Amino acid sequence: MSYLEDFEVWKDAIEGVLPGKVKPPNQPVDDFVAKTETLAVDAAEDREALKSAGMDENLIDELTPLSGTLRYCQAKWMSEYRARAEAQTQWKEQAPQAYALRDELLHHFSFAYRNHDDIIKKVRRIREGASHADMIQDLIELAVLGEKYPEPLTSVNLDPDLLPQARTVSHTMSELLAAANGANGEGSANKLLRDKAFTLLFEKDSTIREYGRYVFWKDEDKRSKYYK
């Protein structure tokens, strides 16, 4: 079966892991899965001995497909994580120019509308706030305001391309900020699903290893295969 097919089989069980039981990976997922897949082979050879000690032999058969499921979930989360990390990088590169554009427009607007009481109040309100979200909103509001009252801006020879540029930059930076937020995975459905898949596989892996160490307590070679 493919990793996606494994995931479809195990999806409901993974989603059913209770939040309080979720165990984030304490080691690289690829390394853990590789060790679990090796355990599946070793435990299959010792199936009868493990079964005779009271272990549910279905645990052995579940290791490989659940390992594939975890690989699938990990791939989805890493794809999202890399996209967010890239968005963070782009934000850091582009944000200074966006802030500079906002500040330049505020400078021109404050002078051009200085004798227009109703408009200058709007400019002052736009100037309030210092967050990234404020900057993005400022750009679109400045573009709308400038398009609505163009004459004073024309009188100070404001570059007419700055207003559509402000719209474009506001849209671009809004998308980047949305993508960049939460790059550490907080609130990510894909990360939670990965963590739940790890939890489920970790529990089954640990149970088999526990039985293996118990059964082969006098056989050092055999017992060593059941250590993590």
Side-chain angles (χ1 to χ4, degrees), residues 39-205:
L39 176 64
V41 175
D42 293 335
E45 295 177 355
D46 301 328
R47 179 184 297 269
E48 292 305 318
L50 295 170
K51 181 181 176 181
S52 68
M55 191 190 84
D56 181 358
E57 65 177 312
N58 289 324
L59 291 174
I60 301 171
D61 300 322
E62 292 170 345
L63 286 182
T64 298
L66 193 49
S67 294
T69 298
L70 179 53
R71 286 189 185 278
Y72 175 81
C73 293
Q74 172 71 356
K76 287 197 67 175
W77 160 235
M78 289 309 298
S79 177
E80 177 186 333
Y81 179 85
R82 291 188 185 102
R84 289 181 174 185
E86 176 61 25
Q88 279 199 329
T89 298
Q90 292 183 31
W91 172 270
K92 290 178 182 178
E93 292 173 349
Q94 298 180 32
Q97 291 87 350
Y99 273 102
L101 176 60
R102 189 276 308 270
D103 293 345
E104 180 179 358
L105 287 174
L106 281 172
H107 171 73
H108 293 308
F109 278 42
S110 295
F111 185 78
Y113 296 125
R114 67 191 185 283
N115 296 322
H116 302 265
D117 291 344
D118 290 343
I119 305 176
I120 199 64
K121 288 179 182 178
K122 296 178 181 179
V123 174
R124 289 168 181 161
R125 182 187 59 76
I126 292 173
R127 189 183 291 276
E128 297 173 356
S131 71
H132 295 327
D134 286 327
M135 178 271 288
I136 291 170
Q137 184 63 27
D138 291 348
L139 285 170
I140 190 64
E141 289 188 9
L142 287 166
V144 170
L145 191 64
E147 291 164 357
K148 187 174 182 179
Y149 305 104
E151 292 81 4
L153 299 177
T154 302
S155 70
V156 297
N157 296 314
L158 178 72
D159 182 350
D161 292 335
L162 289 181
L163 298 183
Q165 182 182 344
R167 280 184 175 275
T168 299
V169 172
S170 176
H171 177 72
T172 299
M173 299 307 290
S174 176
E175 290 186 336
L176 278 181
L177 185 61
N181 278 343
N184 61 355
E186 295 303 320
S188 167
N190 283 327
K191 181 180 182 298
L192 179 59
L193 203 63
R194 189 282 308 269
D195 291 351
K196 287 186 174 184
F198 175 84
T199 300
L200 197 58
L201 182 56
F202 183 86
E203 290 175 352
K204 296 178 184 298
D205 176 274

